[in-house]
Each structure stands twice: as C-alpha cells, then as structure tokens.
Amino acid sequence: MHELSLAQTLLETVEAEARRRPGAHVVTVGVRVGELSGVDPEALSFSFEALVADTALAPLALAIERCPRRHRCPRCDFTFAATDSDFACPRCGSTPTRCVGGDELELTFLEVEEP
Amino acid sequence: MTRIVVEQKVLKENDRIAAALRARFRDAGVFCLNLISSPGAGKTTLLERTLEGFPAGERVAVLTGDIQTENDARRLACFGFPVRQITTGGTCHLEARMVERALADWRLEDLELLFIENVGNLVCPSSYDLGEALKVVLLSVPEGDDKPLKYPAIFHKAELLVLNKLDLLPYTPFDLERARAHARRIHPGMEILEVSCTTGAGLNTWRQWLKERREAARREAALTR
C-alpha cells in the first residue's frame, strides 16, 4: 500500500504548481497509471481524496488514465496492447514480442481555473 | 479553464536520487542488487548462504530493509562483512533516499558488491528505483506457482527469478514447469534459477551467476570510464 505516499508526492507537486500561479485554482490532476506500474488506481484515488480533503486545494479531482501493457512485434514493427494470455502479434502472429510500455506512473496535466 | 501539460514522472524525485546513486556505484565499481520478495520467501537466508561462501576480505556489504526490528542485520552481521539495517518505521518499501542516507558514511570504493534486501512485499518495492544494477525477485515454493501472474509488475522488472525452497516441492502442489511458464509469460526470456537454501541445492549456480554478472558489470564500467 504505497499509494498513500504516491498520493502525497502528487499533492506536493500540485501545491508547488499552484504557488507559481497565484489566484489560480487547480480543479483536476491528470495521471497516467500503467498496468505494470505496481500501482492500484483505486487505492491511489482513495488515498488522494483522503489527503486532499485536509488541504486548501479541496475540492480537487484526480483523473486517472489507465495504460495497458504494450508490446512491439520485432517482425512487422506493430505496437499493440497486450493481454496476459497472449503476447503474440495480432497483425502477423509473430511471437515472442517485446514489452515496450505499461509501467507508466506519470503526472500528465493540471486543469486550472484562472482568475 | 486552462489545461497545463506537465508530463513528469510522479516519482521524479526518487528517480533523481536513484540516478545519482547509480552513477556513484558505477564510478566506485560497485555491483548493486535489489532483492525483492514477499515476506518469508528467503531473502535473508539466501544472503546468509551467499555471505558464508565468501572468503574473508571479500568486498561485499548488505543493506537490509524492514518495517521494524534489527533481526535481519543481526543475522547477517555474523559473517564479518558490513551490514546495515534500514528500518522504515511503517513504509512498505525502500526508497532511494533511504539508501542514500544509509550509505552516507560508507566508502563505496571499499566495496565491489552491494546487496539491498528490500522490505518483504511483492508490490510496492517494484515502483521504486534504488539505483541498483538489477532487481532480483525471489519466489518460494509454498507461495504457489501463480504469483508471477498475480504480481506482474515485479516479475516484469526483475532480471532474475530465484525459485527458493525447492526442498518443499514434494509437499505442495507447486508445479515448477508452470511457475517458469508463468514468469516467462510476463517476462519473456527471464533468467530463472532454482535453489534450496536449506539443502544447498542450486546455490553454486547462483554463486556462478553472481560472479558472471559482477564480471560483466566490471567490464562494462571499464569501457565507459
């Protein structure tokens, strides 16, 4: 359960951003969470809500974009979202394919209401 | 309403410290491993078996992380190599700044091999880079052969899987072939070693693996210097 400390880190970043824009109110924080990041999006949301409630930033929404594990086919160069059961290339049927994404844990955007 | 594009890693600060640690390890010629498993899979026992096989004067050290107690450091200190406990006080994983702090008064130039034993947990440690050369995941037979599928993040990120407690195979439904297949479904080409720290089976292969990886890291460091 490290989502609480991740939520705290996120909140600190938002606070720093808010300080750079006096008078602005951050309404939404966008994050990208990959399937292989080891982060549970629901636990992250829950922790974030709990932490935000006690700050001047409330109300502040968290918008989570979930990213699937992605593979690239070495033969035809096709990139695709891979499921646990089948990592074969859906275009040419090649296997094995190489994992090229899905471990993202990124702050992507802030939505801000400016005065 | 304005949308500000940020695009930065949530763990940017951890990653910054980890990158600095990695550079220090490289400059000092230290090969660093981050050992990750659930509680009780045998990280400390594997380290005991590993340390006892080293000659006195081997330039090896251990940082061992736990939520509470100094038990592991006590178990490992009797081999005469530097050991330091990191007690996280509740945090379920090690972070780069904890490693940085624990190493503050150590001369890395005196070391060639550093083991970081993470807090027992198959989930959270996978998110935190500690500056290691590579992650090693341990899975023990009583835990079940389905764990790679249930905890894909760590099996994806670890370079080596050590299957431990092989002596318990006759007493459990654990299927070795299925465990290997599950691990390689998550991580095609994953290296897998099978050991029993109780009987000693497979430990020579583990020592050989360590030796080869250390030498490879040394050659690589010499090339970039």
Side-chain angles (χ1 to χ4, degrees):
Chain A
M1 180 60 190
H2 60 316
E3 283 80 1
L4 189 62
S5 63
L6 292 173
Q8 182 64 41
T9 308
L10 261 179
L11 211 54
E12 283 162 13
T13 314
V14 177
E15 278 167 345
E17 195 62 38
R19 274 196 300 274
R20 300 199 317 153
R21 297 168 176 268
H25 179 61
V26 185
V27 183
T28 310
V29 184
V31 293
R32 194 178 286 138
V33 177
E35 191 188 321
L36 292 171
S37 66
V39 175
D40 174 25
E42 277 171 34
L44 184 63
S45 280
F46 179 81
S47 309
F48 190 80
E49 273 173 39
L51 289 176
V52 164
D54 293 332
T55 70
L57 292 167
L60 176 60
L62 184 67
I64 297 181
E65 178 197 349
R66 299 180 188 216
C67 296
R69 168 184 189 134
R70 292 178 307 288
H71 276 226
R72 184 176 296 138
C73 173
R75 205 163 79 183
C76 73
D77 217 29
F78 185 56
T79 303
F80 57 96
T83 62
D84 260 352
S85 55
D86 186 9
F87 296 151
C89 175
R91 201 160 74 175
C92 74
S94 271
T95 181
T97 53
R98 211 166 63 82
C99 184
V100 292
D103 61 352
E104 301 83 357
L105 179 57
E106 292 157 358
L107 173 59
T108 49
F109 68 84
L110 300 175
E111 229 158 42
V112 177
E113 264 172 5
E114 313 250 23
Chain B
M1 195 90 76
T2 317
R3 180 177 277 217
I4 306 164
V5 177
V6 185
E7 292 291 348
Q8 67 176 45
K9 290 193 170 173
V10 172
L11 291 171
K12 195 174 74 163
E13 181 58 13
N14 184 80
D15 290 353
R16 185 189 64 75
I17 300 168
L21 282 170
R22 185 166 287 117
R24 283 176 60 195
F25 293 147
R26 190 197 52 222
D27 292 345
V30 178
F31 182 55
C32 176
L33 290 178
N34 181 359
L35 259 61
I36 297 172
S37 79
S38 60
K43 293 182 296 301
T44 312
T45 309
L46 179 67
L47 285 174
E48 286 179 313
R49 297 290 87 82
T50 308
L51 295 182
E52 76 185 9
F54 284 139
E58 182 82 53
R59 292 146 66 90
V60 57
V62 182
L63 293 179
T64 176
D66 274 298
I67 290 177
Q68 287 293 337
T69 83
E70 305 250 329
N71 291 357
D72 285 1
R74 266 199 295 276
R75 278 173 62 184
L76 294 168
C78 64
F79 299 98
F81 304 108
V83 175
R84 181 163 287 172
Q85 181 83 45
I86 302 176
T87 321
T88 66
T91 305
C92 53
H93 56 269
L94 293 180
E95 298 184 11
R97 63 183 169 81
M98 300 176 188
V99 173
E100 185 187 46
R101 212 179 297 141
L103 291 176
D105 58 347
W106 276 8
R107 271 177 46 89
L108 290 181
E109 291 71 21
D110 295 341
L111 296 179
E112 280 179 18
L113 178 59
L114 175 66
F115 292 104
I116 303 177
E117 180 186 348
N118 220 308
V119 178
N121 182 335
L122 272 179
V123 185
C124 313
S126 67
S127 298
Y128 293 84
D129 184 2
L130 303 180
E132 72 276 346
L134 52 93
K135 291 180 173 67
V136 174
V137 61
L138 264 80
L139 172 63
S140 66
V141 163
E143 292 171 72
D145 51 36
D146 59 345
K147 292 304 168 288
L149 301 182
K150 286 189 170 174
Y151 301 91
I154 186 54
F155 287 88
H156 169 67
K157 287 182 182 171
E159 214 156 302
L160 173 72
L161 164 61
V162 178
L163 288 170
N164 187 26
K165 308 194 189 180
L166 244 65
D167 51 303
L168 297 181
L169 275 177
Y171 313 104
T172 74
F174 191 98
D175 183 324
L176 211 45
E177 204 45 61
R178 208 158 48 211
R180 290 189 201 112
H182 287 160
R184 290 195 171 125
R185 195 151 101 192
I186 298 301
H187 185 156
M190 185 176 208
E191 285 192 82
I192 302 175
L193 298 180
E194 287 140 25
V195 308
S196 163
C197 289
T198 303
T199 67
L203 287 177
N204 279 339
T205 317
W206 154 249
R207 292 191 187 104
Q208 186 60 29
W209 180 91
L210 260 182
K211 188 166 166 256
E212 282 166 13
R213 297 310 292 249
R214 277 171 78 179
E215 280 163 8
R218 203 178 300 145
R219 280 197 302 273
E220 203 175 304
L223 280 177
T224 56
R225 218 170 278 151

